[in-house]
Amino acid sequence: DLYIGDSTSVLYFPYLSAFDRDKRVLQREFRSNLKTIAAAVADFNGHNMSKPGPLAPRRQRFDAVRPTDSDLQTRLRITGDDADALLRSWDQAHAAWQTSREALTHLPWCLCHNDVSPGNSTYADGVLTLADFGLACGGPVGSDLHTLIRWSGEAIADPVHVDGLLTAYFDRVRGYDRSISLDDVRLAAWATFFLRYTNLKFSSARYPNTYKLAIQRMIEVSGVGSAPSR
């Protein structure tokens, strides 16, 4: 029997040999081009941007999920005392995120890939190619930087390195909207970093140092943005 149901959309990508390489090579290449990739991501976001307003998309893939004490101990392999302290810090960061939400809604929103990482992106001959749009959605400009920060290796906790990524992105995306500030980009990047890398359903969040950094940076940037009039 023929079954007629809902329509289905299929997105086809051509075979790209650049993706079909050893994982370590892809990771090394990605990390060595982070600033260039950040600027290319800004172009992708800038070409798919919408102004704030009643019809602007308001769908961000990630949300704040409060962990349990038991989950922290199990997933991060930490002691009960450490889990208690970390949970208190998470609550503080969550309150900081709540105070920042109004500022984020006033930023231009854009289509975000949300997983720009080795294996999902390649940069060659001045062109950034993205694959695997499974996490793509609308988000405030700057959100896509969270994965680039995550893939910074030992430099992830270095403010100078991260500011270099933010500036490379900002310098390019500002060409699409002059109202965007570096503080806007910083807030969106770290707020999204907090939402994703404290959500223990993601394996990439199950590292104590990354988890603590996400909390720390969310608290730090929460005072950066006040809802601007645009």
Side-chain angles (χ1 to χ4, degrees), residues 193-214:
F193 192 94
F194 165 72
L195 295 178
R196 179 165 184 173
Y197 298 118
T198 63
N199 187 338
L200 294 172
K201 81 173 184 179
F202 295 105
S203 59
S204 53
R206 300 169 193 168
Y207 295 86
N209 289 341
T210 302
Y211 204 99
K212 293 174 183 176
L213 182 70

Side-chain angles (χ1 to χ4, degrees), residues 5 7 11 26 53 93 116 135 137 161 196 202 207:
S7 61
L11 185 62
L26 291 173
V116 183
L135 291 176
C137 66
H161 164 77
R196 179 165 184 173
F202 295 105
Y207 295 86

Side-chain angles (χ1 to χ4, degrees), residues 92-114:
Q92 184 181 357
H94 180 259
W97 173 69
Q98 292 278 28
T99 65
S100 303
R101 294 181 72 179
E102 180 66 17
L104 291 169
T105 62
H106 283 75
L107 297 182
W109 277 48
C110 57
L111 174 63
C112 296
H113 181 278
N114 280 317

Side-chain angles (χ1 to χ4, degrees), residues 18-151:
F19 287 111
D20 192 12
R21 292 180 292 157
D22 184 85
K23 181 186 297 185
R24 290 169 296 183
V25 173
L26 291 173
Q27 291 177 358
R28 184 168 59 250
E29 185 179 88
F30 186 85
R31 285 192 171 118
S32 66
N33 288 290
L34 278 174
K35 286 185 179 180
T36 305
I37 293 172
V41 169
D43 280 327
F44 168 72
N45 294 156
H47 281 298
N48 297 281
M49 189 180 296
S50 62
K51 292 285 188 178
L55 299 181
R58 287 292 179 268
R59 183 185 177 220
Q60 189 167 30
R61 177 69 65 179
F62 311 114
D63 202 352
V65 179
R66 191 177 192 272
T68 65
D69 193 282
S70 176
D71 282 342
L72 288 173
Q73 292 183 57
T74 302
R75 299 286 189 170
L76 300 184
R77 299 180 181 179
I78 58 178
T79 67
D81 288 343
D82 288 342
D84 290 341
L86 195 57
L87 195 56
R88 289 193 296 271
S89 296
W90 188 95
D91 286 338
Q92 184 181 357
H94 180 259
W97 173 69
Q98 292 278 28
T99 65
S100 303
R101 294 181 72 179
E102 180 66 17
L104 291 169
T105 62
H106 283 75
L107 297 182
W109 277 48
C110 57
L111 174 63
C112 296
H113 181 278
N114 280 317
D115 202 10
V116 183
S117 58
N120 287 343
S121 64
T122 182
Y123 186 86
D125 300 324
V127 176
L128 175 70
T129 301
L130 298 172
D132 189 355
F133 282 76
L135 291 176
C137 66
V141 63
S143 299
D144 256 338
L145 286 167
H146 76 278
T147 47
L148 274 67
I149 296 172
R150 180 67 180 85
W151 278 100

